[in-house]
């Protein structure tokens, strides 16, 4: 009954969206649809065509990897047989301030995987609170793992995830794992799908230079409909991008929710230092430590150490998402602020590794991340200027173009294997515009960081003048960049 009700609501949503597009198209002057007219509607969107080329390349690469290359590689791995078995598996979970129900589901899935994978396994629990330790011990007693499965607790101060990871990595180092051991790094709100360990470990044997890999994410959102759809759309887009980058073995992040590494990587003092105390020297803001973004730090460390990265699309995990605010707009902006800040802090120094290390396509993708904050606003800004200077029909035509293209993008996303919904076209556009504005804001304030789950912010003991300079120089540069962008378009149009 619930499934039928959900299907009817989805159908009604799609019908409403298509009707809205038709109404908008009928409201436009007929001359806009005349191919001989200089105002032909597709010219309105011509300024954004080059943006779609990068998306199209990603999509084609993703489909080639997902439906051609990966199935071929899976058959190749299957033929290797037991030679791909690791000597030991470490399943390390970091938990802090997560509700007991989620914690029980997470550790239950981790212990289950430790039992069912069949390998010698150690579950490493990086915990802050005694209540979590008692809960894990109760689960352990109830599930009664065999002797080949061990349990190791690491008590840490509640000073952030980076410290929790570093303490856990050092605890694994004390086990003296050999070069065939692997380590799964799992977030405290991530429920492992069945068989995820056996699906991920063979790739380290197939690709000796792969230092880390990550997995396909789905989510359960403790929030409203729009918040839930927003997260699901993000994971569908993530899946496409991951598949695309996996074709070059250059996946751009070792997702903190669940990634797997060679034990020789996580026990490397250089890697541990990169994750624990990563920092950036900025020409204007000075040197500051990274509070968040451990997944980006681990990726950069792997690249710098000479490793490749990979993605396993059929190894699935389910994350339990707790929005930081009840309001969708507040919650989404908070999350964007953290995600885009992590991305941009790593971007410039990643490009500094050079094409010889990253490859041409990866370098282009990283460069596109820097300019996309402006190109994403180009179409809307152009349409607004044209609407003010000439006729409001230009703005209406632009929104019709957006409605059609986002509908096409949503349909293409269905090929990823992730579900789609009628809210996706609107959320895609929301992400484009609001996301671009957030990127611009963050780009000039890279030193400003905070967690969304806990009230922890980066504190820098700066002199009063330095604090004043950082604040006002950031505001000045944001205003100047935005003004130049708008003025240039006014002059062109």
């Amino acid at each position: 009954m619930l499934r039928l009700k959900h299907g009817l609501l989805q159908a009604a949503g799609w019908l409403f969206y298509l009707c809205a597009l038709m109404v908008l198209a009928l409201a436009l002057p007929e001359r806009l649809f005349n191919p001989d007219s200089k105002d032909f509607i597709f010219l309105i969107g011509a300024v954004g065509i080059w943006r779609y080329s990068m998306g199209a390349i990603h999509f084609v690469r993703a489909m080639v990897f997902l439906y051609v290359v990966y199935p071929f590689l899976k058959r190749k791995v299957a033929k290797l047989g037991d030679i791909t078995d690791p000597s030991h598996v470490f399943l390390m979970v970091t938990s802090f301030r997560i509700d007991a129900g989620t914690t029980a589901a997470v550790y239950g899935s981790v212990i289950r995987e430790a039992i069912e994978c069949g390998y010698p396994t150690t579950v490493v629990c990086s915990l802050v609170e005694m209540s979590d330790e008692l809960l894990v011990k109760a689960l352990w007693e109830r599930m009664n793992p065999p002797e080949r499965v061990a349990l190791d607790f690491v008590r840490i101060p509640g000073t952030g995830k980076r410290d929790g990871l570093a303490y856990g990595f050092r605890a694994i180092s004390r086990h003296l794992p050999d070069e065939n051991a692997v380590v799964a790094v799992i977030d405290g709100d991530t429920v492992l799908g069945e068989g995820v360990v056996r699906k991920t470990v063979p790739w380290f044997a197939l690709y000796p230079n792969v230092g880390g890999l990550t997995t396909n994410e789905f989510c359960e959102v403790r929030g409203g409909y729009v918040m839930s759809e927003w997260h699901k759309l993000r994971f569908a887009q993530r899946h496409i991008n991951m598949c695309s980058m996996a074709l070059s073995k250059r996946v751009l992040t070792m997702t903190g929710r669940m990634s797997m590494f060679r034990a020789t990587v996580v026990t490397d003092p250089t890697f541990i230092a990169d994750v624990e105390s990563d920092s950036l020297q900025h020409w204007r803001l000075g040197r500051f430590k990274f509070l968040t973004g451990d997944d980006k730090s681990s990726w950069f460390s792997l690249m710098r150490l000479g490793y490749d990265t990979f993605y396993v699309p059929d190894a699935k995990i389910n994350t339990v998402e707790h929005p930081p605010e009840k309001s969708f707009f507040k919650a989404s902006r908070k999350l964007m602020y953290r995600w885009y800040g992590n991305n941009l802090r790593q971007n410039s120094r990643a490009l500094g590794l050079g094409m010889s290390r990253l490859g041409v396509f990866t370098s282009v993708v990283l460069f596109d991340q820097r300019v996309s904050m402006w190109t994403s606003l180009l179409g809307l800004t152009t349409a607004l200027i044209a609407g003010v200077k000439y006729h409001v029909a230009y703005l209406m035509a632009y929104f019709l173009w957006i409605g059609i293209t986002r509908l096409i993008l949503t349909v293409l996303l269905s090929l990823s294997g992730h579900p789609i919904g009628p809210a996706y076209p609107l959320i895609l556009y929301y992400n484009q515009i609001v996301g671009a504005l957030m990127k611009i804001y963050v780009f000039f304030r890279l030193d400003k960081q905070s967690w969304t789950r806990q009230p922890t912010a980066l504190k820098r003991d700066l002199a009063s003048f330095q604090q004043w300079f950082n604040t006002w120089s950031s505001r000045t540069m944001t205003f100047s960049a935005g003004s130049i962008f708008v003025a240039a378009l006014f002059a062109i149009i």
Side-chain angles (χ1 to χ4, degrees):
M1 188 66 181
L2 287 175
R3 191 172 290 181
L4 176 62
K5 183 180 179 181
H6 178 73
L8 290 173
L9 288 174
Q10 290 280 83
W14 285 116
L15 182 62
F16 177 80
Y17 184 83
L18 293 172
C19 288
L21 285 183
M22 292 176 65
V23 170
L24 184 57
L26 291 172
L28 291 173
E30 290 186 9
R31 62 191 178 89
L32 286 175
F33 295 95
N34 179 4
D36 297 326
S37 171
K38 64 180 181 180
D39 301 328
F40 184 48
I41 186 173
F42 290 105
L43 292 181
I44 301 298
V47 291
I49 284 178
W50 78 276
R51 280 192 60 247
Y52 299 122
S53 63
M54 182 59 71
I57 292 170
H58 268 307
F59 182 79
V60 171
R61 284 172 56 93
M63 293 301 103
V64 170
F65 176 79
L66 189 60
Y67 295 110
V68 179
V69 174
Y70 185 73
F72 168 76
L73 293 175
K74 269 190 77 172
R75 292 191 294 270
K76 193 173 179 180
V77 165
K79 291 178 182 178
L80 294 176
D82 295 343
I83 196 174
T84 63
D85 290 354
S87 59
H88 201 95
V89 175
F90 294 88
L91 302 177
M92 190 183 86
V93 188
T94 55
S95 298
F96 182 51
R97 290 187 178 174
I98 297 173
D99 66 273
T102 301
T103 301
V106 169
Y107 280 98
S109 71
V110 170
I111 297 170
R112 183 205 68 226
E113 280 298 294
I115 295 170
E116 295 181 356
C117 71
Y119 307 128
T121 306
T122 300
V123 178
V124 180
C125 308
S126 185
L127 303 173
V128 175
E129 294 152 331
M130 178 59 73
S131 59
D132 287 341
E133 183 173 334
L134 294 174
L135 190 154
V136 173
K137 286 180 177 178
L139 281 170
W140 191 267
E141 291 293 327
R142 182 168 61 84
M143 299 181 75
N144 191 27
E147 289 186 7
R148 61 174 175 77
V149 181
L151 182 63
D152 188 5
F153 286 104
V154 182
R155 296 300 298 275
I156 61 172
T159 52
K161 185 180 176 184
R162 287 180 178 272
D163 288 340
L165 291 171
Y167 275 73
F169 293 159
R170 293 190 182 104
I172 292 171
S173 299
R174 290 192 287 272
H175 287 270
L176 302 177
D178 62 28
E179 62 181 11
N180 292 320
V182 296
V183 179
V185 180
I186 304 160
D187 219 347
D189 55 4
T190 301
V191 179
L192 303 186
E194 291 189 12
V196 69
V197 172
R198 294 197 69 88
K199 290 176 180 176
T200 49
V201 296
W203 299 101
F204 292 103
L206 182 67
Y207 293 124
N209 200 50
V210 166
L213 55 82
T214 192
T215 50
N216 192 359
E217 293 186 32
F218 294 82
C219 63
E220 174 192 336
V221 182
R222 305 290 171 82
Y225 171 77
V226 178
M227 196 76 228
S228 177
E229 294 296 284
W230 184 72
H231 274 284
K232 291 173 183 176
L233 169 61
R234 173 175 168 261
F235 286 134
Q237 291 178 301
R238 171 190 178 276
H239 183 57
I240 294 292
N241 288 332
M242 289 287 190
C243 287
S244 171
M245 300 310 300
L247 201 59
S248 307
K249 293 196 284 294
R250 287 292 182 275
V251 173
L252 294 180
T253 182
M254 289 291 98
T255 309
R257 297 303 179 83
M258 198 286 191
S259 291
M260 190 166 280
F261 301 86
R262 293 183 185 276
T264 50
V265 170
V266 302
T267 57
D268 185 332
T270 302
F271 181 83
I272 296 174
D274 285 343
V275 173
E276 183 179 27
S277 54
D278 203 359
S279 63
L280 180 67
Q281 178 66 46
H282 192 271
W283 67 274
R284 177 173 56 86
L285 302 171
R287 179 172 292 280
F288 54 89
K289 289 185 67 176
F290 291 175
L291 179 65
T292 61
D294 55 276
D295 53 348
K296 294 292 184 181
S297 295
S298 58
W299 172 80
F300 179 76
S301 187
L302 286 173
M303 289 292 104
R304 192 161 57 86
L305 292 170
Y307 289 101
D308 297 334
T309 53
F310 196 62
Y311 179 62
V312 185
D314 60 352
K316 300 176 182 178
I317 61 170
N318 293 280
T319 63
V320 182
E321 302 289 342
H322 298 84
E325 299 282 351
K326 291 183 179 179
S327 165
F328 165 72
F329 298 103
K330 289 182 179 179
S332 60
R333 291 199 304 274
K334 268 192 174 184
L335 291 169
M336 286 179 182
Y337 183 81
R338 177 162 63 88
W339 295 336
Y340 295 150
N342 295 338
N343 188 299
L344 291 169
R345 276 185 284 275
Q346 293 290 354
N347 186 280
S348 58
R349 66 179 188 174
L351 278 170
L353 293 174
M355 286 190 184
S356 60
R357 175 69 194 102
L358 297 173
V360 175
F361 182 71
T362 304
S363 299
V364 171
V365 170
L366 289 171
F367 176 76
D368 183 66
Q369 289 178 353
R370 295 181 70 84
V371 300
S372 64
M373 67 185 83
W374 299 106
T375 58
S376 296
L377 296 174
L378 191 63
L380 176 60
T381 309
T382 301
L384 286 170
I385 293 172
V388 171
K389 291 181 69 174
Y390 304 113
H391 197 282
V392 71
Y394 285 96
L395 185 59
M396 295 170 64
Y398 167 75
F399 283 121
L400 180 60
W401 165 263
I402 289 298
I404 294 171
T405 53
R406 273 43 185 189
L407 177 61
I408 294 171
L409 290 175
T410 299
V411 173
L412 291 176
L413 279 175
S414 66
L415 297 176
S416 70
H418 285 246
I420 62 172
Y424 276 28
L426 296 177
I427 298 174
L428 276 168
Y429 189 62
Y430 172 84
N431 284 348
Q432 176 185 327
I433 302 303
V434 178
L437 293 173
M438 289 302 300
K439 284 179 183 178
I440 293 170
Y441 181 84
V442 172
F443 182 74
F444 296 106
R445 296 164 179 81
L446 293 177
D447 58 328
K448 301 298 182 182
Q449 306 165 64
S450 63
W451 284 102
T452 49
R453 181 177 294 141
Q454 59 197 74
T456 305
L458 179 67
K459 295 181 180 180
R460 303 174 67 196
D461 297 325
L462 299 176
S464 57
F465 173 77
Q466 187 65 51
Q467 291 178 348
W468 176 88
F469 175 78
N470 286 1
T471 299
W472 282 99
S473 63
S474 294
R475 292 174 181 174
T476 302
M477 294 189 73
T478 306
F479 178 78
S480 300
S483 299
I484 293 170
F485 176 73
V486 174
L489 290 178
F490 254 109
I492 294 171
I493 299 172

